[in-house]
Amino acid sequence: MLLKLLLPCLLFGALSQAQQEPAMDCSAQIKCPINVYFTIDTSESIALQVLPPGGLVERIKSFSELFVKKLQEELYKDHITITWEFGGLHFSDEVKIYSQITSNSNEYIQRLRSINYLGRGTFTDCALSNMTSQVVAQASPENRVRFAVVITDGHVTGSPCGGMKSRAESARDAGIKLFAVSPSTNKYESGLREIANSPVELYRNNYQATGTTGEIHVETIDRIIKVMKQEAYSECYKLTCLEKPGTPGPKGYRGQKGAKGDIGGAGPPGEKGRQGDPGIEGPIGYPGPKGFHGMKGEKGELGSEGKKGVAGLAGRNGTDGQKGKLGRIGAPGCKGDPGDKGPLGYPGDVGERGQEGDPGSKGDHGRPGRDGPPGPPGELGQKGEQGSPGSPGLPGQKGRQGERGGGGPKGEPGRRGDPGTKGGAGPIGPSGEKGDVGPEGQRGLPGEVGNKGAKGDLGLPGPRGSSGEIGSLGRNGSRGDSGDVGQRGEPGAPGPKGDRGRTGFSYPGPRGPTGDRGDKGNPGPQGARGEYGQKGAPGVKGTSGDPGDPGPTGEPGPRAPQGEPGEPGDPGPEGDPGLTDCDVMTYVRETCGCCDCEKRCGALDIVFVIDSSESVGLTNFTLEKNFVINVVSRLGSIAKDPKSDTGTRVGIVQYSHDNTFEAIQLNDSRIDSLATFKDAVKRLQWIAGGTYTPSALRFAYDQLIKGSKRDKAKVFAVVITDGRYDPRDDETLLQSLCSGDVIVNAIGIGDMFSRQQEDESLKSIACNDQSRVTGMNLFADLVAEEFIDKMEEVLCPDPFIVCPDLPCKTELAVAHCTQRPVDIVFLLDGSERIGLENFRYARTFVEDVAQRLTLARSADDELNARMALLQYGSEAEQRVAFSLSHNLTVIADRLAQMKYLDSSSNVGSAIIHAINNIVNDQGGRQRVARRNAELAFVFITDGITGSKSLSEAVTSMRKVDAVPTVIAVGDDVDMDILLQIGLGDRAAIFREKSFSQLSRSSFFDRFIRWIC
């Protein structure tokens, strides 16, 4: 009840208090300062658009000056007073601040007029970064409205400061609103839209500073200022004058008890306490944790030479292989270089004396051995164990088959003959006594004793023979005095004849245990291999003989019974005919290219001077490099020795602004082949600066030609430029190459804005010889087949062909793509318009190309060709038949397995799929195509395909430096799309009427020459 009485009183008091407070004045004017920062592009792409050079920069300065003069202090909409602040910078590949932020327009204009263009590359991201830091640091603290007017064409040559889009976002985060203004009609709209604030329709809105005739677009200035004022009004003018404090409301009800609060943060540290009393000694602590591994120590010194290892166990004996068929005698190969003389072999170890066998037939007298040094006197040891049989002698010439029985007469020794045909079974002779053991099969008599060879590998243990009778032990002899070398002892009495054993192995066994060293005996003649006999009684140990080969080890195996000779087999089937001499030489020529004919141009020095300035552009610079490679490839081999008086040498100078010249010297010892030259050219990077053509010509003469010119060599210079050079360079240097006997060819090409070249400058470069000036509109015309043919005739007018003296020469041809690395990716249209029959023709064409090219020899071969194929249909249908491969068998098998898609056609998604899955790995993280190889995309299509994602695909092709070739079949083709996937190069588009004509020699040979 009491609350109802007090409430009206409280409301009345609050109303009275509100009426007593004075209301705010809504007619008061609000100050609204605006900051405007001009960011002006003075790079080469701007400076050289209008003649004279720098003319467009002067127009931009006039545009900016008129812009500032229109920025006057004013009362806007009777509510805000607008004031202005100005600042600015201009940029190329560096940034120069021409005016700090000031409110004095006259001072700003004076500084604006002092700008001189830089005329090099375009780093817009660095300019935006510097502009942001200047505005944040220097603008007035009360200034809340900040604008930047960026005048550029949207073209960039690099992003060293994080990228244009990222730096523009940083400026917007700092509260700066960016207007993007193109200086003329030549612009890259996508780049300008990345700069402008959102909405783009407000901050880009096709703003242009000048017209085609040089007039200033005043309406652009007025539109931008109108937007600035409106944005400032919405930012500065707030309806605070209508805001009044309200009456306080009634006291609310007591709220419920709040929930328990969170644990508070740590409090500040307390004051330092007094020092405590010393504590009692604590218990021994637990062991500490395991320490970390120490740092890797330094590499120790080289250790001493280790001891010789123990000989390994003998390996198992392998079985004899079957006798191969007799092949035809091959064609003589190319004569190889003589080999180096091999090192002398190691002397063999001294073997133990073997067990005396039955006396064999007397062998030929061996060559006398070298006398060894006398050994130290040795003690007479105990009688040694029986030695293993010695190794067999060298095989001799096959002898005639004798009658079964005793040993036949001795044949004349000779070299081992070629194996003859197997004869029929001879007549059965009368049974005789059991003969001596002979080798398996027919065996010749011993041949001449050869020189002792190097020690062979340890052999496998031989089979165990039958155990002989145990002989009685001899008495141990007393140690005698050392005496002269005695005569060889007489052989012991022969033991009883043993059974016939298996044939031994013709290689030495492992080394046996070392016996006591005896006195060296006189060398005796080497006899023929004796037969195995039963173990006889041990004889008196004689003096050591000549060092023998180690005998086989291991226990002899049980003797197998001798089998009866088998019946002669039936004659085998007639073998396949072998290759003829001509077939062999054809295979060698097609495989390695080492025996092909070679084109030579005589002593020739060629210097290419190529423009690497910003106005050329990265794509056109790549076309310049391809032009150089294609021309040099037509001139035959490069001189292996740059100091030689003969052969072709090639040098390159790429240039931009002053002190940025790069060169490949004529006398560079590393350039000794066409492959190394191509690799060096592909490593050249676009400089993207100004154009100092006269200084580059002087550099080419002084650094490449003057000091290394050969007396008998023709000297050519090929200069590629758009003809326009920076006027700050010395014009008198244009004819620097005209001194001496240098033949100069000038090629003038319209630059990235399709401006025509200056004929007078080109004529001066060509030493005033108009016949050596070539003009073209597009850089793509450089790599056209017709122009390459023309340059070949200019640089090598009188070539001569050198062929090796080989059998079966048919034509003067050079192996295709030999020593030239190229990765070819075929993109085959599998749409329903093609049809199954035409699809088969296209598949056959790809297989023919694989057979004609010289493919790489291995997966890591840096030379020759590799191939891949992708069949494409609709946007989501792409099938990789085979990835980049050098294996002809794999290519042929995968082509045979490839099925026709019979779908629609969209080439854009096919290009992207090929780059992501063939050029790069499937994750797209690593490049699979060789970086030193040319990447060729070959499109086989009927000329009609979808254009979805095509622009993105073309951009991707440029990024991976792909060189396109288009095979368009039929009359109904879309040339606009073909030119897009051909990167604007009409010469790269091959037209045919039908798929069946793709393998005709006229078209096929022209395509192979283009690819290689």
Side-chain angles (χ1 to χ4, degrees):
M1 188 64 182
L2 179 61
L3 183 60
K4 293 181 178 180
L5 294 175
L6 291 177
L7 185 57
C9 297
L10 293 174
L11 293 174
F12 178 76
L15 183 59
S16 301
Q17 180 68 24
Q19 290 176 351
Q20 292 176 3
E21 293 182 1
M24 296 182 62
D25 186 7
C26 285
S27 62
Q29 298 177 1
I30 303 173
K31 291 184 178 180
C32 187
I34 301 176
N35 180 276
V36 181
Y37 203 93
F38 290 88
T39 305
I40 302 175
D41 186 352
T42 61
S43 64
E44 188 191 43
S45 62
I46 301 294
L48 300 186
Q49 279 194 43
V50 176
L51 296 179
L56 184 56
V57 175
E58 295 300 321
R59 297 177 187 178
I60 295 173
K61 289 161 61 176
S62 300
F63 172 84
S64 303
E65 181 177 342
L66 181 59
F67 198 120
V68 172
K69 288 180 179 180
K70 284 179 171 286
L71 302 179
Q72 300 296 327
E73 181 178 347
E74 66 173 300
L75 178 62
Y76 186 69
K77 293 187 178 181
D78 297 329
H79 292 111
I80 63 172
T81 301
I82 295 178
T83 58
W84 303 90
E85 293 178 344
F86 324 100
L89 60 81
H90 70 105
F91 68 95
S92 178
D93 57 356
E94 63 174 318
V95 177
K96 289 191 175 182
I97 299 170
Y98 64 84
S99 176
Q100 303 292 339
I101 294 179
T102 178
S103 58
N104 189 333
S105 61
N106 293 327
E107 180 182 352
Y108 172 82
I109 292 174
Q110 197 67 27
R111 295 172 181 171
L112 174 67
R113 292 173 178 172
S114 65
I115 291 178
N116 290 319
Y117 73 90
L118 298 174
R120 295 195 292 273
T122 309
F123 296 163
T124 309
D125 55 345
C126 295
L128 295 177
S129 178
N130 278 269
M131 177 270 296
T132 304
S133 60
Q134 288 290 313
V135 172
V136 172
Q138 298 182 15
S140 301
E142 66 275 6
N143 190 315
R144 295 175 296 174
V145 185
R146 299 171 180 178
F147 296 102
V149 180
V150 184
I151 306 176
T152 181
D153 57 2
H155 169 73
V156 295
T157 59
S159 301
C161 298
M164 182 170 64
K165 187 173 183 179
S166 176
R167 294 303 96 194
E169 289 291 342
S170 299
R172 287 191 275 271
D173 293 341
I176 305 172
K177 300 176 181 179
L178 286 77
F179 290 89
V181 181
S182 66
S184 65
T185 56
N186 295 316
K187 60 184 181 293
Y188 291 89
E189 188 62 34
S190 60
L192 293 171
R193 286 177 173 264
E194 287 185 3
I195 296 173
N197 262 55
S198 182
V200 177
E201 293 78 14
L202 185 63
Y203 289 92
R204 173 68 190 99
N205 199 15
N206 293 324
Y207 297 135
Q208 184 173 319
T210 65
T212 55
T213 59
E215 73 279 5
I216 304 300
H217 282 191
V218 181
E219 69 278 5
T220 296
I221 299 175
D222 294 338
R223 285 191 293 149
I224 294 176
I225 293 177
K226 181 179 178 181
V227 174
M228 287 181 175
K229 290 179 179 179
Q230 183 62 37
E231 289 294 311
Y233 181 78
S234 61
E235 182 69 28
C236 294
Y237 182 65
K238 306 292 184 182
L239 298 178
T240 56
C241 60
L242 302 178
E243 297 176 357
K244 295 181 180 180
T247 58
K251 185 177 181 180
Y253 298 102
R254 181 175 180 177
Q256 297 178 356
K257 182 179 179 180
K260 184 177 180 181
D262 297 330
I263 299 175
E271 297 180 358
K272 185 177 181 181
R274 69 177 180 85
Q275 184 176 2
D277 298 329
I280 62 174
E281 183 177 358
I284 298 175
Y286 294 103
K290 184 178 179 181
F292 298 103
H293 289 288
M295 297 177 63
K296 186 177 181 180
E298 297 180 355
K299 185 176 181 180
E301 298 179 355
L302 185 66
S304 60
E305 184 178 0
K307 297 181 179 179
K308 184 175 181 181
V310 181
L313 297 175
R316 298 176 61 186
N317 183 29
T319 58
D320 295 334
Q322 295 181 355
K323 181 178 180 181
K325 296 180 179 180
L326 181 63
R328 294 173 180 260
I329 299 176
C334 299
K335 183 178 180 180
D337 297 329
D340 297 332
K341 184 177 180 180
L344 296 176
Y346 295 103
D349 298 323
V350 177
E352 294 184 357
R353 178 183 178 87
Q355 177 69 29
E356 298 291 344
D358 293 336
S361 59
K362 184 177 180 181
D364 296 331
H365 291 287
R367 298 178 182 176
R370 292 184 297 179
D371 293 335
E379 298 179 358
L380 291 177
Q382 295 180 356
K383 180 180 179 181
E385 297 178 358
Q386 176 186 358
S388 302
S391 60
L394 297 176
Q397 186 177 9
K398 178 178 179 181
R400 61 183 180 84
Q401 182 176 2
E403 298 178 354
R404 298 176 63 88
K410 174 185 175 184
E412 295 182 359
R415 68 173 182 86
R416 183 173 181 176
D418 296 330
T421 58
K422 184 173 181 181
I428 300 175
S431 299
E433 297 180 356
K434 189 172 184 180
D436 296 332
V437 179
E440 292 183 3
Q442 298 176 355
R443 189 178 184 111
L445 296 176
E448 295 180 359
V449 178
N451 295 329
K452 184 176 180 64
K455 182 178 179 181
D457 298 332
L458 297 179
L460 300 173
R464 183 182 181 118
S466 59
S467 300
E469 297 178 0
I470 300 175
S472 61
L473 296 176
R475 294 181 303 170
N476 293 336
S478 60
R479 180 175 180 179
D481 297 330
S482 58
D484 298 330
V485 178
Q487 298 293 328
R488 184 183 182 115
E490 295 295 330
K497 182 178 295 186
D499 296 333
R500 179 177 180 179
R502 294 179 59 187
T503 304
F505 302 100
S506 60
Y507 50 83
R511 180 178 177 179
T514 304
D516 295 331
R517 186 179 182 90
D519 297 332
K520 179 177 178 63
N522 295 327
Q526 181 176 355
R529 178 180 177 184
E531 305 299 332
Y532 293 131
Q534 294 184 354
K535 183 175 181 181
V540 180
K541 183 175 181 181
T543 57
S544 300
D546 295 334
D549 295 329
T553 60
E555 296 296 331
R559 174 177 170 272
Q562 180 179 1
E564 296 296 331
E567 295 294 331
D570 297 330
E574 184 179 357
D576 297 330
L579 298 175
T580 64
D581 291 351
C582 294
D583 294 335
V584 173
M585 293 312 303
T586 301
Y587 175 77
V588 171
R589 295 177 65 181
E590 291 180 352
T591 303
C592 67
C594 62
C595 300
D596 286 307
C597 299
E598 182 182 7
K599 175 181 178 179
R600 295 182 182 176
C601 296
L604 190 63
D605 286 347
I606 306 174
V607 176
F608 291 90
V609 184
I610 60 177
D611 191 345
S612 186
S613 63
E614 183 195 15
S615 61
V616 170
L618 177 59
T619 300
N620 293 335
F621 178 69
T622 303
L623 290 173
E624 287 181 318
K625 295 195 295 183
N626 290 340
F627 163 75
V628 173
I629 291 175
N630 291 343
V631 170
V632 175
S633 299
R634 296 287 192 89
L635 304 179
S637 60
I638 289 180
K640 296 185 180 296
D641 182 7
K643 298 180 180 179
S644 173
D645 293 333
T646 60
T648 302
R649 302 188 307 173
V650 186
I652 292 183
V653 173
Q654 69 153 338
Y655 69 93
S656 184
H657 51 274
D658 196 15
N659 297 323
T660 59
F661 308 143
E662 298 179 5
I664 298 174
Q665 298 287 343
L666 285 170
N667 55 1
D668 191 341
S669 59
R670 296 170 296 181
I671 308 298
D672 56 358
S673 66
L674 187 59
T676 56
F677 173 76
K678 292 178 180 179
D679 187 52
V681 173
K682 291 182 178 181
R683 286 199 300 266
L684 294 176
Q685 300 295 321
W686 180 39
I687 299 175
T691 308
Y692 278 59
T693 308
S695 297
L697 299 177
R698 168 54 64 183
F699 177 87
Y701 184 79
D702 291 342
Q703 301 297 324
L704 273 73
I705 299 176
K706 185 177 180 181
S708 62
K709 187 167 63 172
R710 297 178 293 179
D711 295 336
K712 299 180 180 179
K714 291 183 179 180
V715 183
F716 288 90
V718 180
V719 183
I720 307 173
T721 181
D722 57 8
R724 262 183 287 135
Y725 58 89
D726 197 305
R728 293 172 290 186
D729 200 4
D730 187 358
E731 183 179 4
T732 60
L733 300 178
L734 277 177
Q735 295 192 337
S736 296
L737 297 176
C738 298
S739 57
D741 54 354
V742 182
I743 304 173
V744 185
N745 295 271
I747 303 173
I749 309 171
D751 63 9
M752 64 197 314
F753 299 117
S754 301
R755 296 285 184 178
Q756 294 297 322
Q757 64 277 4
E758 294 181 354
D759 291 336
E760 290 302 321
S761 298
L762 292 173
K763 187 175 180 181
S764 297
I765 294 173
C767 307
N768 298 321
D769 187 352
Q770 188 64 40
S771 63
R772 295 198 174 273
V773 175
T774 303
M776 53 184 64
N777 294 324
L778 299 173
F779 276 84
D781 295 338
L782 276 174
V783 294
E785 187 77 13
E786 296 80 5
F787 186 67
I788 299 295
D789 292 340
K790 176 182 176 182
M791 292 305 302
E792 180 184 1
E793 294 177 0
V794 169
L795 300 177
C796 186
D798 299 316
F800 57 96
I801 306 298
V802 177
C803 294
D805 189 11
L806 300 173
C808 314
K809 290 188 291 187
T810 56
E811 60 180 21
L812 304 181
V814 179
H816 298 295
C817 292
T818 300
Q819 304 297 314
R820 178 170 183 260
V822 56
D823 286 343
I824 306 173
V825 180
F826 286 91
L827 290 93
L828 176 59
D829 189 345
S831 64
E832 59 183 355
R833 286 174 51 93
I834 298 292
L836 180 58
E837 184 178 1
N838 290 333
F839 173 78
R840 291 171 178 168
Y841 283 128
R843 187 171 59 185
T844 303
F845 169 74
V846 174
E847 186 173 0
D848 292 343
V849 172
Q851 293 176 351
R852 175 70 68 89
L853 297 180
T854 302
L855 298 178
R857 300 178 183 178
S858 63
D860 55 355
D861 188 0
E862 296 294 330
L863 301 177
N864 304 324
R866 298 192 305 174
M867 288 175 51
L869 186 140
L870 174 117
Q871 183 187 181
Y872 65 92
S874 63
E875 185 179 359
E877 287 182 293
Q878 298 92 25
R879 295 181 185 174
V880 178
F882 54 91
S883 299
L884 287 169
S885 175
H886 64 281
N887 192 322
L888 185 59
T889 303
V890 172
I891 294 173
D893 291 345
R894 297 293 174 83
L895 284 172
Q897 298 169 6
M898 184 173 60
K899 303 298 183 182
Y900 173 43
L901 285 179
D902 192 14
S903 178
S904 58
S905 176
N906 189 70
V907 72
S909 56
I911 295 173
I912 296 173
H913 188 85
I915 293 174
N916 292 337
N917 294 275
I918 296 179
V919 178
N920 300 322
D921 59 10
Q922 292 187 357
R925 295 181 298 272
Q926 187 175 1
R927 185 179 176 103
V928 176
R930 298 172 292 181
R931 296 193 178 277
N932 69 311
E934 177 182 295
L935 178 60
F937 274 28
V938 180
F939 300 89
I940 304 178
T941 177
D942 63 348
I944 301 296
T945 182
S947 59
K948 188 174 182 179
S949 305
L950 185 56
S951 59
E952 178 187 354
V954 170
T955 303
S956 300
M957 273 205 310
R958 295 181 189 274
K959 288 182 179 179
V960 298
D961 293 333
V963 179
T965 301
V966 183
I967 300 177
V969 183
D971 299 327
D972 183 16
V973 297
D974 189 341
M975 282 301 298
D976 292 337
I977 291 183
L978 296 184
L979 284 173
Q980 279 186 271
I981 61 179
L983 300 183
D985 185 3
R986 290 183 178 273
I989 301 176
F990 289 71
R991 299 287 302 275
E992 256 318 327
K993 293 182 179 180
S994 65
F995 281 88
S996 61
Q997 297 179 344
L998 293 181
S999 295
R1000 288 193 315 169
S1001 59
S1002 58
F1003 175 84
F1004 189 79
D1005 293 342
R1006 185 163 64 96
F1007 172 77
I1008 293 295
R1009 287 197 304 270
W1010 171 267
I1011 287 294
C1012 293

